[in-house]
Amino acid sequence: MKKKIIVGNQKMNFNVSQAEFFISQIKDNINTQECDVVIMPNITALDRVGQLIEDTNISLGAQNVYFEDNGAFTGETSVEMLAALNVKYILVGHSERRKFMDETDEIVNKKVIKILQKGITPIICIGETLNERKNNETNEVLKKQIIKALKNVENTKNIIFAYEPIWAIGTGKTATSLQINETFKYIRNVISNILVQDISIIYGGSVKPSNIDEIINIDGVDGVLVGGSSLTNDFVAIVNFEEK
Ligand code: PGA
């Protein structure tokens, strides 16, 4: 059976010493035999966290990257620079970046192509707003995001999609099992018209210890992307979920 993947996106939280403390708290308590665990600290803590998890099965992930190789792009970071820190996964198109940093589908696509060229796994975030769901536009929105993200992408297994309904991020609300199941089926169907390989799809949006067992066991769910709960001991409970 495919190993589930649990990704902790710590967003703009934790300076280096706080990130160090967090890793020291969770490191010995999480069971990485049953699933792949990825921690995405703030960029300033990437190097240090990478060192601290070197002797574990936890992988390092980055929250963002730029699509150019190097040069006059003040403040940006290349895939190559992240690869040198042993980063294995990079988040692309998170709804917060789409909203606050104008990350468009075209930018997402350029990043995906560059990340794949360097052999790293992009985790591509897609999702609808509450209004779009209410107006029955969810499928249309997701289809557009998927097609644009995968433009000119060659067949590869090395991609993960994260379905994150925007209305469930940081709100405490989660999509129902039925919504997740139906939406995942739709996403998988759209992707299968573009790529031959069966790629992983994970769910994000207010994942917490009280709902992890239900969400992770939904048919088609390959893992979860965790925001708020990746900043506390809740993350340990999430990683130690019960597979049914
Ligand atoms: P949340 O965030 O778990 O705090 O809802 C999820 C995410 O933004 O990836």
Side-chain angles (χ1 to χ4, degrees), residues 6-42:
I6 313 279
V7 186
N9 168 19
Q10 298 188 315
K11 308 191 181 182
M12 197 171 74
N13 296 291
F14 290 171
N15 61 25
V16 185
S17 49
Q18 291 166 324
E20 273 182 11
F21 180 72
F22 177 80
I23 295 296
S24 70
Q25 293 293 296
I26 65 156
K27 207 169 128 169
D28 299 326
N29 299 323
I30 58 178
N31 176 1
T32 50
Q33 302 306 316
E34 314 289 328
C35 59
D36 292 322
V37 179
V38 182
I39 291 281
M40 297 183 162
N42 176 266

mmCIF file of all heavy atoms in Angstrom, residues 6-42:
data_model
loop_
_atom_site.group_PDB
_atom_site.id
_atom_site.type_symbol
_atom_site.label_atom_id
_atom_site.label_comp_id
_atom_site.label_asym_id
_atom_site.label_seq_id
_atom_site.Cartn_x
_atom_site.Cartn_y
_atom_site.Cartn_z
ATOM 1 N N ILE A 6 2.529 13.198 5.245
ATOM 2 C CA ILE A 6 2.038 14.248 6.149
ATOM 3 C C ILE A 6 2.999 15.431 6.036
ATOM 4 O O ILE A 6 4.194 15.299 6.349
ATOM 5 C CB ILE A 6 2.046 13.794 7.629
ATOM 6 C CG1 ILE A 6 1.438 12.400 7.792
ATOM 7 C CG2 ILE A 6 1.392 14.836 8.524
ATOM 8 C CD1 ILE A 6 -0.034 12.324 7.834
ATOM 9 N N VAL A 7 2.480 16.567 5.586
ATOM 10 C CA VAL A 7 3.333 17.741 5.376
ATOM 11 C C VAL A 7 2.955 18.836 6.370
ATOM 12 O O VAL A 7 1.786 19.206 6.471
ATOM 13 C CB VAL A 7 3.158 18.286 3.934
ATOM 14 C CG1 VAL A 7 4.136 19.414 3.669
ATOM 15 C CG2 VAL A 7 3.315 17.173 2.904
ATOM 16 N N GLY A 8 3.947 19.349 7.084
ATOM 17 C CA GLY A 8 3.706 20.450 8.024
ATOM 18 C C GLY A 8 4.205 21.752 7.428
ATOM 19 O O GLY A 8 5.408 21.947 7.264
ATOM 20 N N ASN A 9 3.269 22.630 7.074
ATOM 21 C CA ASN A 9 3.611 23.944 6.507
ATOM 22 C C ASN A 9 3.568 24.972 7.641
ATOM 23 O O ASN A 9 2.491 25.375 8.071
ATOM 24 C CB ASN A 9 2.593 24.283 5.407
ATOM 25 C CG ASN A 9 2.683 25.723 4.951
ATOM 26 O OD1 ASN A 9 3.698 26.401 5.172
ATOM 27 N ND2 ASN A 9 1.626 26.197 4.290
ATOM 28 N N GLN A 10 4.749 25.356 8.107
ATOM 29 C CA GLN A 10 4.773 26.226 9.290
ATOM 30 C C GLN A 10 4.609 27.705 8.967
ATOM 31 O O GLN A 10 4.623 28.551 9.862
ATOM 32 C CB GLN A 10 6.061 25.952 10.087
ATOM 33 C CG GLN A 10 6.088 24.497 10.573
ATOM 34 C CD GLN A 10 7.215 24.198 11.516
ATOM 35 O OE1 GLN A 10 8.349 24.596 11.274
ATOM 36 N NE2 GLN A 10 6.919 23.478 12.589
ATOM 37 N N LYS A 11 4.497 28.013 7.682
ATOM 38 C CA LYS A 11 4.214 29.389 7.238
ATOM 39 C C LYS A 11 5.199 30.388 7.855
ATOM 40 O O LYS A 11 6.341 30.032 8.116
ATOM 41 C CB LYS A 11 2.754 29.743 7.529
ATOM 42 C CG LYS A 11 1.785 28.697 6.980
ATOM 43 C CD LYS A 11 0.348 29.125 7.003
ATOM 44 C CE LYS A 11 -0.525 28.001 6.450
ATOM 45 N NZ LYS A 11 -1.935 28.339 6.391
ATOM 46 N N MET A 12 4.769 31.635 8.113
ATOM 47 C CA MET A 12 5.703 32.640 8.651
ATOM 48 C C MET A 12 5.657 32.600 10.183
ATOM 49 O O MET A 12 5.251 33.558 10.843
ATOM 50 C CB MET A 12 5.375 34.041 8.118
ATOM 51 C CG MET A 12 6.528 35.018 8.295
ATOM 52 S SD MET A 12 6.258 36.588 7.455
ATOM 53 C CE MET A 12 5.043 37.355 8.526
ATOM 54 N N ASN A 13 6.043 31.438 10.715
ATOM 55 C CA ASN A 13 6.091 31.242 12.164
ATOM 56 C C ASN A 13 7.429 30.614 12.522
ATOM 57 O O ASN A 13 8.029 29.936 11.699
ATOM 58 C CB ASN A 13 4.970 30.297 12.610
ATOM 59 C CG ASN A 13 3.603 30.890 12.358
ATOM 60 O OD1 ASN A 13 3.206 31.856 12.992
ATOM 61 N ND2 ASN A 13 2.882 30.329 11.396
ATOM 62 N N PHE A 14 7.861 30.812 13.723
ATOM 63 C CA PHE A 14 9.082 30.212 14.283
ATOM 64 C C PHE A 14 10.371 30.804 13.683
ATOM 65 O O PHE A 14 10.670 30.611 12.508
ATOM 66 C CB PHE A 14 9.135 28.687 14.067
ATOM 67 C CG PHE A 14 8.143 27.889 14.865
ATOM 68 C CD1 PHE A 14 7.959 26.534 14.620
ATOM 69 C CD2 PHE A 14 7.398 28.474 15.889
ATOM 70 C CE1 PHE A 14 7.053 25.789 15.354
ATOM 71 C CE2 PHE A 14 6.492 27.736 16.622
ATOM 72 C CZ PHE A 14 6.319 26.389 16.349
ATOM 73 N N ASN A 15 11.152 31.472 14.525
ATOM 74 C CA ASN A 15 12.514 31.838 14.109
ATOM 75 C C ASN A 15 13.387 30.599 14.289
ATOM 76 O O ASN A 15 12.893 29.525 14.649
ATOM 77 C CB ASN A 15 13.025 33.055 14.889
ATOM 78 C CG ASN A 15 13.084 32.783 16.383
ATOM 79 O OD1 ASN A 15 13.203 31.631 16.810
ATOM 80 N ND2 ASN A 15 13.011 33.828 17.185
ATOM 81 N N VAL A 16 14.693 30.736 14.055
ATOM 82 C CA VAL A 16 15.549 29.532 14.076
ATOM 83 C C VAL A 16 15.478 28.814 15.417
ATOM 84 O O VAL A 16 15.303 27.587 15.447
ATOM 85 C CB VAL A 16 17.026 29.894 13.778
ATOM 86 C CG1 VAL A 16 17.865 28.630 13.690
ATOM 87 C CG2 VAL A 16 17.136 30.656 12.492
ATOM 88 N N SER A 17 15.585 29.555 16.517
ATOM 89 C CA SER A 17 15.622 28.828 17.791
ATOM 90 C C SER A 17 14.272 28.199 18.120
ATOM 91 O O SER A 17 14.208 27.108 18.699
ATOM 92 C CB SER A 17 16.142 29.705 18.933
ATOM 93 O OG SER A 17 15.491 30.923 18.943
ATOM 94 N N GLN A 18 13.186 28.857 17.722
ATOM 95 C CA GLN A 18 11.863 28.252 17.953
ATOM 96 C C GLN A 18 11.688 26.996 17.078
ATOM 97 O O GLN A 18 11.116 25.999 17.518
ATOM 98 C CB GLN A 18 10.762 29.276 17.626
ATOM 99 C CG GLN A 18 10.718 30.429 18.617
ATOM 100 C CD GLN A 18 9.872 31.594 18.118
ATOM 101 O OE1 GLN A 18 9.844 31.899 16.923
ATOM 102 N NE2 GLN A 18 9.195 32.264 19.037
ATOM 103 N N ALA A 19 12.200 27.077 15.858
ATOM 104 C CA ALA A 19 12.108 25.907 14.956
ATOM 105 C C ALA A 19 12.931 24.753 15.512
ATOM 106 O O ALA A 19 12.510 23.595 15.477
ATOM 107 C CB ALA A 19 12.581 26.288 13.559
ATOM 108 N N GLU A 20 14.103 25.080 16.055
ATOM 109 C CA GLU A 20 14.963 24.056 16.676
ATOM 110 C C GLU A 20 14.230 23.391 17.824
ATOM 111 O O GLU A 20 14.224 22.170 17.962
ATOM 112 C CB GLU A 20 16.212 24.719 17.285
ATOM 113 C CG GLU A 20 17.345 24.884 16.341
ATOM 114 C CD GLU A 20 18.567 25.513 17.036
ATOM 115 O OE1 GLU A 20 18.589 25.633 18.277
ATOM 116 O OE2 GLU A 20 19.478 25.889 16.293
ATOM 117 N N PHE A 21 13.611 24.221 18.651
ATOM 118 C CA PHE A 21 12.896 23.704 19.817
ATOM 119 C C PHE A 21 11.765 22.765 19.367
ATOM 120 O O PHE A 21 11.594 21.673 19.921
ATOM 121 C CB PHE A 21 12.330 24.865 20.651
ATOM 122 C CG PHE A 21 11.577 24.413 21.864
ATOM 123 C CD1 PHE A 21 12.253 23.885 22.962
ATOM 124 C CD2 PHE A 21 10.190 24.492 21.925
ATOM 125 C CE1 PHE A 21 11.563 23.448 24.091
ATOM 126 C CE2 PHE A 21 9.485 24.051 23.039
ATOM 127 C CZ PHE A 21 10.176 23.527 24.120
ATOM 128 N N PHE A 22 11.033 23.190 18.351
ATOM 129 C CA PHE A 22 9.927 22.365 17.848
ATOM 130 C C PHE A 22 10.430 20.991 17.397
ATOM 131 O O PHE A 22 9.864 19.960 17.774
ATOM 132 C CB PHE A 22 9.212 23.085 16.691
ATOM 133 C CG PHE A 22 8.120 22.269 16.072
ATOM 134 C CD1 PHE A 22 6.872 22.184 16.681
ATOM 135 C CD2 PHE A 22 8.326 21.556 14.897
ATOM 136 C CE1 PHE A 22 5.854 21.408 16.128
ATOM 137 C CE2 PHE A 22 7.323 20.778 14.333
ATOM 138 C CZ PHE A 22 6.084 20.707 14.951
ATOM 139 N N ILE A 23 11.507 20.988 16.634
ATOM 140 C CA ILE A 23 12.031 19.705 16.138
ATOM 141 C C ILE A 23 12.478 18.830 17.320
ATOM 142 O O ILE A 23 12.202 17.627 17.355
ATOM 143 C CB ILE A 23 13.209 19.915 15.148
ATOM 144 C CG1 ILE A 23 12.727 20.636 13.882
ATOM 145 C CG2 ILE A 23 13.867 18.577 14.777
ATOM 146 C CD1 ILE A 23 11.714 19.885 13.042
ATOM 147 N N SER A 24 13.124 19.452 18.293
ATOM 148 C CA SER A 24 13.586 18.652 19.436
ATOM 149 C C SER A 24 12.401 18.045 20.197
ATOM 150 O O SER A 24 12.506 16.958 20.751
ATOM 151 C CB SER A 24 14.445 19.511 20.381
ATOM 152 O OG SER A 24 13.624 20.450 21.042
ATOM 153 N N GLN A 25 11.259 18.735 20.171
ATOM 154 C CA GLN A 25 10.067 18.228 20.865
ATOM 155 C C GLN A 25 9.409 17.053 20.137
ATOM 156 O O GLN A 25 8.880 16.143 20.759
ATOM 157 C CB GLN A 25 9.010 19.345 20.983
ATOM 158 C CG GLN A 25 9.390 20.489 21.884
ATOM 159 C CD GLN A 25 9.467 20.052 23.333
ATOM 160 O OE1 GLN A 25 8.464 19.657 23.917
ATOM 161 N NE2 GLN A 25 10.652 20.105 23.902
ATOM 162 N N ILE A 26 9.418 17.104 18.804
ATOM 163 C CA ILE A 26 8.643 16.083 18.068
ATOM 164 C C ILE A 26 9.476 14.890 17.592
ATOM 165 O O ILE A 26 8.958 13.792 17.423
ATOM 166 C CB ILE A 26 7.921 16.680 16.839
ATOM 167 C CG1 ILE A 26 8.923 17.179 15.789
ATOM 168 C CG2 ILE A 26 6.955 17.789 17.238
ATOM 169 C CD1 ILE A 26 8.322 17.217 14.389
ATOM 170 N N LYS A 27 10.747 15.164 17.361
ATOM 171 C CA LYS A 27 11.634 14.198 16.695
ATOM 172 C C LYS A 27 11.506 12.738 17.153
ATOM 173 O O LYS A 27 11.346 11.844 16.332
ATOM 174 C CB LYS A 27 13.065 14.682 16.925
ATOM 175 C CG LYS A 27 14.049 14.279 15.885
ATOM 176 C CD LYS A 27 15.333 15.056 16.119
ATOM 177 C CE LYS A 27 16.492 14.113 16.176
ATOM 178 N NZ LYS A 27 17.780 14.800 16.133
ATOM 179 N N ASP A 28 11.543 12.552 18.448
ATOM 180 C CA ASP A 28 11.548 11.171 18.944
ATOM 181 C C ASP A 28 10.156 10.607 19.183
ATOM 182 O O ASP A 28 10.005 9.461 19.588
ATOM 183 C CB ASP A 28 12.370 11.085 20.231
ATOM 184 C CG ASP A 28 13.808 11.501 19.967
ATOM 185 O OD1 ASP A 28 14.302 11.214 18.857
ATOM 186 O OD2 ASP A 28 14.415 12.153 20.842
ATOM 187 N N ASN A 29 9.138 11.437 18.965
ATOM 188 C CA ASN A 29 7.775 10.980 19.283
ATOM 189 C C ASN A 29 6.956 10.609 18.069
ATOM 190 O O ASN A 29 5.827 10.146 18.198
ATOM 191 C CB ASN A 29 7.027 12.075 20.045
ATOM 192 C CG ASN A 29 7.716 12.382 21.346
ATOM 193 O OD1 ASN A 29 8.232 11.476 21.990
ATOM 194 N ND2 ASN A 29 7.752 13.649 21.725
ATOM 195 N N ILE A 30 7.485 10.871 16.890
ATOM 196 C CA ILE A 30 6.657 10.569 15.731
ATOM 197 C C ILE A 30 7.090 9.283 15.044
ATOM 198 O O ILE A 30 8.261 8.959 14.976
ATOM 199 C CB ILE A 30 6.588 11.731 14.719
ATOM 200 C CG1 ILE A 30 7.970 12.114 14.224
ATOM 201 C CG2 ILE A 30 5.871 12.919 15.298
ATOM 202 C CD1 ILE A 30 7.911 13.218 13.191
ATOM 203 N N ASN A 31 6.100 8.607 14.560
ATOM 204 C CA ASN A 31 6.320 7.318 13.923
ATOM 205 C C ASN A 31 6.445 7.525 12.416
ATOM 206 O O ASN A 31 5.461 7.785 11.732
ATOM 207 C CB ASN A 31 5.118 6.426 14.260
ATOM 208 C CG ASN A 31 5.216 5.101 13.561
ATOM 209 O OD1 ASN A 31 6.186 4.838 12.842
ATOM 210 N ND2 ASN A 31 4.212 4.271 13.765
ATOM 211 N N THR A 32 7.664 7.442 11.927
ATOM 212 C CA THR A 32 7.861 7.687 10.493
ATOM 213 C C THR A 32 7.967 6.379 9.708
ATOM 214 O O THR A 32 8.386 6.375 8.566
ATOM 215 C CB THR A 32 9.118 8.556 10.256
ATOM 216 O OG1 THR A 32 10.205 7.990 10.987
ATOM 217 C CG2 THR A 32 8.912 9.983 10.685
ATOM 218 N N GLN A 33 7.569 5.277 10.337
ATOM 219 C CA GLN A 33 7.581 3.992 9.626
ATOM 220 C C GLN A 33 6.378 3.883 8.696
ATOM 221 O O GLN A 33 6.466 3.377 7.594
ATOM 222 C CB GLN A 33 7.532 2.806 10.614
ATOM 223 C CG GLN A 33 8.662 2.763 11.629
ATOM 224 C CD GLN A 33 10.031 2.805 10.965
ATOM 225 O OE1 GLN A 33 10.263 2.127 9.974
ATOM 226 N NE2 GLN A 33 10.930 3.631 11.495
ATOM 227 N N GLU A 34 5.247 4.377 9.194
ATOM 228 C CA GLU A 34 3.980 4.196 8.465
ATOM 229 C C GLU A 34 3.742 5.264 7.407
ATOM 230 O O GLU A 34 2.897 5.107 6.539
ATOM 231 C CB GLU A 34 2.798 4.244 9.455
ATOM 232 C CG GLU A 34 2.981 3.417 10.708
ATOM 233 C CD GLU A 34 2.900 1.923 10.429
ATOM 234 O OE1 GLU A 34 2.148 1.547 9.515
ATOM 235 O OE2 GLU A 34 3.610 1.157 11.115
ATOM 236 N N CYS A 35 4.424 6.419 7.538
ATOM 237 C CA CYS A 35 4.138 7.503 6.590
ATOM 238 C C CYS A 35 5.382 8.345 6.341
ATOM 239 O O CYS A 35 6.354 8.254 7.080
ATOM 240 C CB CYS A 35 3.016 8.380 7.139
ATOM 241 S SG CYS A 35 3.393 9.125 8.716
ATOM 242 N N ASP A 36 5.330 9.144 5.272
ATOM 243 C CA ASP A 36 6.417 10.079 4.989
ATOM 244 C C ASP A 36 6.064 11.417 5.621
ATOM 245 O O ASP A 36 4.973 11.951 5.397
ATOM 246 C CB ASP A 36 6.564 10.261 3.470
ATOM 247 C CG ASP A 36 7.060 8.985 2.797
ATOM 248 O OD1 ASP A 36 7.906 8.308 3.397
ATOM 249 O OD2 ASP A 36 6.593 8.674 1.691
ATOM 250 N N VAL A 37 6.981 11.941 6.409
ATOM 251 C CA VAL A 37 6.731 13.206 7.097
ATOM 252 C C VAL A 37 7.636 14.289 6.503
ATOM 253 O O VAL A 37 8.833 14.075 6.321
ATOM 254 C CB VAL A 37 7.008 13.069 8.616
ATOM 255 C CG1 VAL A 37 6.768 14.395 9.329
ATOM 256 C CG2 VAL A 37 6.139 11.984 9.208
ATOM 257 N N VAL A 38 7.041 15.430 6.197
ATOM 258 C CA VAL A 38 7.794 16.550 5.632
ATOM 259 C C VAL A 38 7.558 17.783 6.494
ATOM 260 O O VAL A 38 6.412 18.105 6.812
ATOM 261 C CB VAL A 38 7.315 16.869 4.185
ATOM 262 C CG1 VAL A 38 8.144 17.997 3.580
ATOM 263 C CG2 VAL A 38 7.349 15.635 3.306
ATOM 264 N N ILE A 39 8.647 18.457 6.861
ATOM 265 C CA ILE A 39 8.511 19.709 7.612
ATOM 266 C C ILE A 39 8.946 20.854 6.706
ATOM 267 O O ILE A 39 10.018 20.809 6.091
ATOM 268 C CB ILE A 39 9.409 19.708 8.872
ATOM 269 C CG1 ILE A 39 8.898 18.705 9.897
ATOM 270 C CG2 ILE A 39 9.505 21.091 9.499
ATOM 271 C CD1 ILE A 39 7.721 19.200 10.706
ATOM 272 N N MET A 40 8.105 21.889 6.649
ATOM 273 C CA MET A 40 8.430 23.074 5.865
ATOM 274 C C MET A 40 8.555 24.266 6.802
ATOM 275 O O MET A 40 7.570 24.957 7.081
ATOM 276 C CB MET A 40 7.323 23.352 4.848
ATOM 277 C CG MET A 40 7.171 22.248 3.835
ATOM 278 S SD MET A 40 5.926 22.638 2.607
ATOM 279 C CE MET A 40 6.368 21.480 1.318
ATOM 280 N N PRO A 41 9.772 24.505 7.302
ATOM 281 C CA PRO A 41 9.947 25.637 8.205
ATOM 282 C C PRO A 41 10.059 26.947 7.413
ATOM 283 O O PRO A 41 10.159 26.921 6.188
ATOM 284 C CB PRO A 41 11.271 25.319 8.897
ATOM 285 C CG PRO A 41 12.012 24.447 7.946
ATOM 286 C CD PRO A 41 11.006 23.777 7.054
ATOM 287 N N ASN A 42 10.092 28.051 8.120
ATOM 288 C CA ASN A 42 10.380 29.324 7.470
ATOM 289 C C ASN A 42 11.766 29.230 6.832
ATOM 290 O O ASN A 42 12.645 28.521 7.336
ATOM 291 C CB ASN A 42 10.346 30.444 8.526
ATOM 292 C CG ASN A 42 10.742 31.768 7.927
ATOM 293 O OD1 ASN A 42 11.906 32.160 7.975
ATOM 294 N ND2 ASN A 42 9.791 32.431 7.334
#
